[in-house]
Every structure is written in structure tokens, then in C-alpha cells.
Amino acid sequence: MQKNYSLGIDFGTSSVRAIVLDLETGEEISSASDSYKSGEQGVIYNVSNKHLARQNPKDYLESMEKAVASAVAAARKNNIDISLIKGIGIDATASTPIPVDENLQPLCFQEKFKDNLNAYAWLWKDHTAVMEAATITKLASRIRPEYLRKCGGTYSSEWFFSKILKCEKEDAEVFNAAHTWLEQSDYIPAVLCGIRDVKQLKRNVCAAGHKAMYNKSWGGWPDNEFLERLSPALGKLRESLSDDTYTFETQAGTLSKEWAEKFGLNPGIPVAVGSIDAHVGAVGAGVGKETYVQVLGTPLVAL
């Protein structure tokens, strides 16, 4: 019987891990990792603001290329026919939103923003938006309590809209230059598939639902009235958020020729919609009815 394989790419707080798996048995064929080069263990801090934690999206791309190419090369050494890799799955930290231009390129790639940390990825553990989170919680409790019932009763400074609202208040130049904001777990599939148009992007419901108050019971994303009462500028952002979001068994696109060459793979391999790292870990570990899974990661280590 012909074997089939999958490639998984996991973006953690300090590194990228890549793994090739046998789809029938779950056997690990090969794996590799590469650490981010910027900042301290991949995190960029600011001594004047202990709550700030950012990342350079270039690290994601460079470390992903190295880790995946190494895992694929190792699979070949194990006599695996890499043409039998049938799909690519991606998970990443959340909420780690990135301001991007109209081509879905991070703003920090532009010369004018290369030294502006507000144009970088706002890592999940960035807590600069405490006041903005409190503002969102207060408004939602008054006019949209259903938003809070789905996220534990309080909106967090670690989450999508808190960080974007913080940027709008603190750095109008970056906020106005952003065509939209992408979760890290949406940015990577777009990169691999060569997607450069927000209309072709498939955002993942895992990050949207857990971090950005998305729920189909009230029409998806927070409505314009709510966002505009937080800030009129957020109404414009809402226009760039597609009505639909997708689960990770949905295909985001196919691997581009550019990234196939970097990885040592064939182009056209289906790439799945992204998801949150810990959530995918729980699914992979077999979470289900009467099955408890505890996921340990950076948050525990940080304690």
C-alpha cells in the first residue's frame, strides 16, 4: 500500500518546528527546528516599557525555511518519497496580530517602518494594551454582553482588538498605513500560498473566535457600531475582515513554486487554514469527550 505523509509547521514563541508524519500510523519520520534570531530568544523587548513584546516576521520566514528544509532533507535520507507529502498544516501563537500593507506584507518590511516596533508582530504576551482591553470590556458589558459571555467575561490585553486599538491611539502613522491586520496563523498560510489579496485570504476561526470576538450567532466579527464607538477608525478595519472564517481542515491554498523550492518540495501541495498552537496540540493529543489533555508551553515556563 502506498504511504502518504503530511508536513506540520509549528510556530512557537522562540522557534519554528517542522515535522513529517506518516498519515496512516502517526509515526514521526523526521523533524527539525530553528530559533528566531531577533531580540532575546526571538522576542523584542523595550527597556522603557516592560509590557512590550514584539517579534520580527522575517524571523518566521527565515526559521521556517531552515526548519522545513532540514526536516524534508532528513525524510529523504530515511528513504521517504517526498512527492507523497499530501498536505501542510500550520499553527502559531495567538493573539499575535501583524499590521500589513495591501499586498499582505508586514509594515516593518518597509524602510520607513523598519525601526518602529509598532509595525512588527505584536506577540501574544505583549501587555501594552491593558487600558484598551478595559475599554473594550466596559463597552461590551453595556451594549454587547454576548461578546463577553464567549470569552470568559473579560476581554484581554493579549488579544486582537486590544492591540489594534492601542496602535491606533499610540501610533496613527502605523495604524493608517495598515491595510489590515493578520494573525500570525493567517499570515503564514498566505505566505506559503502566495496570497497577496485580502479578498483571497481565509482567516481561521480558532484565532478569530477565541481572540477577536468572532461568532456566527451575532453575524461574525463585532459589528460596526460597536467598533466605531471604540474608535471611528476601527470601522474601516472591519471592512477588511471577511465575513467568513474557516476551520483547519479547510484548504487555504496550495504551496507556491517559490516556497516549494525553498523547502525542497513539489509545488501545489494543499496548505491548510491555520490555527492556534496549543489548540492544535490538544486535538493532536486526542482531546475529546471524557478525555482531558493538558498543554504545557511558554506560559507555564514564563511563570
Side-chain angles (χ1 to χ4, degrees), residues 37 48 106 114 137 150 161 179 209 215 222 226 233 264 281:
K37 302 304 183 289
S48 65
K114 66 183 181 66
T137 299
K150 296 292 186 180
F161 286 110
H179 182 68
N215 194 285
F226 178 80

Side-chain angles (χ1 to χ4, degrees), residues 80-95:
I80 298 301
D81 181 355
I82 57 91
S83 69
L84 299 179
I85 292 178
K86 299 300 184 180
I88 300 173
I90 295 151
D91 65 68
T93 65
S95 181

Side-chain angles (χ1 to χ4, degrees), residues 129-199:
V130 171
M131 296 297 293
E132 287 71 23
T135 298
I136 292 171
T137 299
K138 183 177 180 180
L139 179 64
S141 66
R142 291 203 331 261
I143 68 172
R144 299 291 187 274
E146 62 273 24
Y147 293 177
L148 300 180
R149 285 197 292 269
K150 296 292 186 180
C151 67
T154 304
Y155 199 73
S156 171
S157 62
E158 293 183 357
W159 295 348
F160 189 75
F161 286 110
S162 297
K163 293 173 175 175
I164 296 173
L165 184 58
K166 174 67 175 179
C167 183
E168 190 270 334
K169 293 182 178 301
E170 181 176 280
D171 196 331
E173 184 178 20
V174 168
F175 181 86
N176 291 330
H179 182 68
T180 191
W181 291 66
L182 300 183
E183 284 284 359
Q184 182 187 7
S185 51
D186 292 326
Y187 170 64
I188 299 300
V191 167
L192 293 185
C193 299
I195 296 171
R196 296 295 185 91
D197 185 344
V198 71
K199 294 181 181 177

Side-chain angles (χ1 to χ4, degrees), residues 224-302:
N224 278 18
E225 179 189 357
F226 178 80
L227 293 177
E228 288 176 357
R229 287 182 67 168
L230 292 171
S231 169
L234 289 185
K236 181 180 179 181
L237 170 69
R238 175 66 179 80
E239 296 174 6
S240 71
L241 303 177
S242 58
D243 291 335
D244 295 322
T245 58
Y246 302 85
T247 52
F248 59 52
E249 70 266 29
T250 306
Q251 182 173 314
T254 58
L255 186 65
S256 69
K257 180 180 179 181
E258 175 189 358
W259 279 94
E261 291 176 353
K262 292 177 187 288
F263 290 162
L265 293 173
N266 298 325
I269 298 173
V271 176
V273 166
S275 194
I276 298 175
D277 50 0
H279 297 216
V280 171
V283 173
V287 70
K289 186 177 180 180
E290 299 182 354
T291 301
Y292 173 79
V293 171
Q294 184 174 9
V295 180
L296 306 180
T298 309
L300 183 66
V301 174

Side-chain angles (χ1 to χ4, degrees), residues 116-129:
N116 188 333
L117 292 182
N118 292 325
Y120 283 60
W122 293 51
L123 184 60
W124 65 268
K125 65 175 181 175
D126 185 290
H127 293 116
T128 54

